[in-house]
Amino acid sequence: MDPTTDNAGPSGDPGTARDALEALRAEIAKAVVGQDPAVTGLVVALLCRGHVLLEGVPGVAKTLLVRALASALELDTKRVQFTPDLMPSDVTGSLVYDTRSAEFSFQPGPVFTNLLLADEINRTPPKTQSSLLEAMEERQVTVDGTPRLLPDPFLVAATQNPVEYEGTYPLPEAQLDRFLLKLTIPLPSRQDEIDVLTRHAEGFNPRDLHAAGVRPVAGPADLEAARAAVAKTTISPEITAYVVDICRATRESPSLTLGVSPRGATALLATARAWAWLTGRDYVIPDDVKALALPTLRHRVQLRPEAEMEGVTADSVINAILAHVPVPR
């Protein structure tokens, strides 16, 4: 995404909304160095009403990235640090007894926000991980039999450390499938790391984004206008068949024990559609599908142990499939 405006205010016009969302990259870059693909992925997820899993080693600005996005979009955000002793009610909320009224009242948990940062989600046991499932899928929380709707927009941005790190609980397949995208946050290049240290030496405080110059460049009205425009983006039968062929090929791969489900195919079609609109087209082309295939599918497949031992990765399997599945013309 290339920003075309430095100060696009919230609006309801699709063209202006695209400009405002493109400007996010420049705004977030005031706080985060060199993470353009992750910024793009988060915007795609917002357009698709999906959720994002951010994976990377500690200290690569995953948390700062999400906080900067919330500031640039003027969205309410809350953060939950997932720990081994975190309870489901610490996320969703609970009934609290009021001694004055002698009644129980609902105390909302941090999930009642626009952008929930679930920090190090794989450091908490599966029971607490699963407490997010209803919120992510149904966009509501049920406590004591009463469903309570979550705000709109609502996005879970969950960070996780690589699974080989000590003290991690691998996310179950059912929860992984609820994430629209899995974005990998790499270590910065040498020059990017020099830029990071230079900023800190000049007084940059990652806890004070306002002082860093991060300002709202888009808002809920822009998101609504953008989502409506994305929904009108044309998908030809050939593109639909192409997505299906890619996903079916993962189910037949000898390197995988688990291929992409129909839900994953639907997700790839949605993300390709959002990317097509962001790049200025009202129709989807095969390159849009290829561009979003890795982040949309990499967490939906499972490698065979013998393939993993040989150094095969989910990304390499998906890239090989993209190279062999016939591309529609």
Side-chain angles (χ1 to χ4, degrees), residues 201-225:
E202 293 172 349
F204 170 70
N205 182 0
R207 296 173 183 81
D208 190 354
L209 294 177
H210 185 78
V214 178
R215 301 288 185 270
V217 293
D222 292 307
L223 279 177
E224 280 305 309

Side-chain angles (χ1 to χ4, degrees), residues 3-43:
T4 57
T5 179
D6 292 327
N7 190 25
S11 74
D13 175 69
T16 306
R18 183 189 288 116
D19 293 342
L21 293 177
E22 287 177 344
L24 282 173
R25 186 176 73 173
E27 202 64 25
I28 293 173
K30 295 177 181 178
V32 182
V33 176
Q35 296 294 357
D36 291 349
V39 174
T40 301
L42 286 164
V43 172

Side-chain angles (χ1 to χ4, degrees), residues 1-240:
M1 296 192 305
D2 293 322
T4 57
T5 179
D6 292 327
N7 190 25
S11 74
D13 175 69
T16 306
R18 183 189 288 116
D19 293 342
L21 293 177
E22 287 177 344
L24 282 173
R25 186 176 73 173
E27 202 64 25
I28 293 173
K30 295 177 181 178
V32 182
V33 176
Q35 296 294 357
D36 291 349
V39 174
T40 301
L42 286 164
V43 172
V44 167
L46 281 167
L47 293 177
C48 298
R49 291 182 168 87
H51 308 286
V52 175
L53 189 61
L54 300 169
E55 183 176 277
V57 299
V60 289
K62 299 186 295 291
T63 302
L64 179 60
L65 173 64
V66 174
R67 289 180 54 242
L69 176 70
S71 294
L73 278 173
E74 212 169 13
L75 295 177
D76 180 52
T77 182
K78 290 186 175 69
R79 175 180 175 274
V80 178
Q81 179 65 50
F82 279 71
T83 57
D85 60 349
L86 192 74
M87 300 295 292
S89 59
D90 295 330
V91 178
T92 60
S94 58
L95 294 176
V96 177
Y97 184 72
D98 188 339
T99 55
R100 289 175 296 181
S101 64
E103 293 181 349
F104 284 94
S105 61
F106 178 67
Q107 183 67 36
V111 75
F112 286 86
T113 187
N114 297 125
L115 204 163
L116 176 69
L117 175 59
D119 222 349
E120 296 187 302
I121 189 174
N122 61 338
R123 287 203 181 278
T124 200
K127 182 178 181 180
T128 304
Q129 291 174 2
S130 65
S131 68
L132 278 178
L133 279 176
E134 182 190 16
M136 293 169 65
E137 188 70 15
E138 305 296 334
R139 299 181 183 274
Q140 67 177 22
V141 167
T142 302
V143 176
D144 197 33
T146 303
R148 293 173 170 85
L149 293 178
L150 296 172
D152 184 46
F154 172 68
L155 179 144
V156 173
T159 72
Q160 72 168 9
N161 297 320
V163 294
E164 63 268 17
Y165 271 55
E166 185 177 353
T168 60
Y169 299 82
L171 295 177
E173 289 79 6
Q175 181 146 353
L176 280 172
D177 207 32
R178 294 319 197 271
F179 286 99
L180 181 73
L181 300 171
K182 179 183 176 181
L183 306 175
T184 55
I185 310 297
L187 288 166
S189 66
R190 180 176 182 273
Q191 186 55 54
D192 284 345
E193 195 163 1
I194 290 173
D195 292 344
V196 170
L197 268 62
T198 301
R199 290 186 181 191
H200 280 266
E202 293 172 349
F204 170 70
N205 182 0
R207 296 173 183 81
D208 190 354
L209 294 177
H210 185 78
V214 178
R215 301 288 185 270
V217 293
D222 292 307
L223 279 177
E224 280 305 309
R227 287 170 172 176
V230 168
K232 297 176 183 176
T233 302
T234 303
I235 303 172
S236 69
E238 291 78 14
I239 292 295
T240 302

